[in-house]
Structure formats: structure tokens, C-alpha cells
């Protein structure tokens, strides 16, 4: 019995199993470039965090709920707490309170936390 794919109209086309193999190989190459396969070790979810990992992964988050700026005072409500310039929150010191943002200093680095949408502005 002659090979069906060896006849003239099919000679230049890849066989169905070759096309499926090529598609699988392409998918595997894409998956191999994912972060878990790119040399970055995956963390064991059952292993407890070391203090260094806990400090690295638990960066403080600051949610600016409201900012009040007037000639007499500058006040920001951050994570539900009332703060003024010089106050501390979760290891950060308030450097400046501006109309739409709060400037904080953490370990010598300055970061700005913007006013959330729907927050109160006066």
C-alpha cells in the first residue's frame, strides 16, 4: 500500500503529527521562558519565612485616605491614622504633605504616596 502523504499534492505539506509536534515544542519553549523556569528558584510554600525574606516581602503599604492642606496646618490620614509632618508610621517618617501626595522617608529613601481615588481632599 502506497504512503498517502507521499503523493504529489501532499508532498510539500507537513504531516499532521509533525505540525502537532511543532506546536507542542513552541508551547514548551514559551513555558521555559516563564519566571519559574528561567533560573529563578521557586519558593517552597510549606517552608517558613526567614526574617530576611519576611522583611523583603512585607514592604509597608501606605493608603492615603485624605489630605487637608490649609495655611494653618497640613494633615494626612494614612491607613486610618492622622499624621502631620515629622510623624512616623510603620518605620516611615512624613517629610512633606502636599496637595495630592504624601512624601515619606524609609531607611534613607524618599517615596511618595498618592491620594487614592475617591479620597477626601480639602
Amino acid at each position: 500500500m502506497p504512503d498517502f502523504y507521499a503523493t504529489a499534492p501532499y508532498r510539500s505539506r507537513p504531516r499532521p503529527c509533525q505540525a502537532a509536534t511543532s506546536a507542542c515544542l513552541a508551547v514548551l519553549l514559551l513555558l521555559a521562558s516563564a519566571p519559574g523556569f528561567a533560573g529563578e528558584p521557586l519558593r517552597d510554600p510549606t517552608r517558613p519565612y526567614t526574617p530576611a525574606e519576611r522583611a523583603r516581602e512585607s514592604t509597608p503599604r501606605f493608603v492615603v485616605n485624605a489630605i487637608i492642606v490649609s495655611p494653618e496646618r497640613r494633615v494626612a490620614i494614612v491607613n486610618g491614622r492622622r499624621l502631620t509632618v515629622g510623624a512616623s508610621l510603620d518605620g516611615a517618617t512624613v517629610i512633606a504633605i502636599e496637595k495630592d501626595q504624601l512624601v515619606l522617608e524609609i531607611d534613607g529613601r524618599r517615596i511618595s504616596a498618592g491620594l487614592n481615588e475617591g479620597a477626601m481632599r480639602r
Side-chain angles (χ1 to χ4, degrees):
M1 181 184 264
D3 186 10
F4 179 73
Y5 292 103
T7 58
Y10 296 101
R11 207 172 300 155
S12 62
R13 294 184 190 170
R15 295 182 179 183
C17 62
Q18 288 174 335
T21 304
S22 298
C24 287
L25 183 60
V27 169
L28 286 174
L29 288 174
L30 285 173
L31 287 175
S33 65
F37 293 96
E40 297 174 15
L42 294 176
R43 188 184 184 295
D44 179 7
T46 61
R47 186 175 56 99
Y49 284 102
T50 64
E53 289 174 331
R54 190 174 298 122
R56 186 175 354 111
E57 291 190 11
S58 66
T59 56
R61 290 193 41 117
F62 302 102
V63 179
V64 181
N65 305 107
I67 292 179
I68 302 169
V69 176
S70 71
E72 299 87 32
R73 64 183 174 163
R74 291 176 177 262
V75 178
I77 308 296
V78 181
N79 296 349
R81 290 185 48 199
R82 181 182 176 271
L83 300 176
T84 57
V85 175
S88 295
L89 175 69
D90 294 337
T93 304
V94 178
I95 301 299
I97 299 174
E98 299 170 2
K99 186 176 82 171
D100 289 333
Q101 68 179 355
L102 183 71
V103 180
L104 302 162
E105 185 171 309
I106 304 173
D107 299 326
R109 291 182 310 140
R110 288 191 178 202
I111 63 165
S112 57
L115 189 64
N116 290 337
E117 287 186 32
M120 193 170 104
R121 182 183 303 141
R122 282 192 187 173

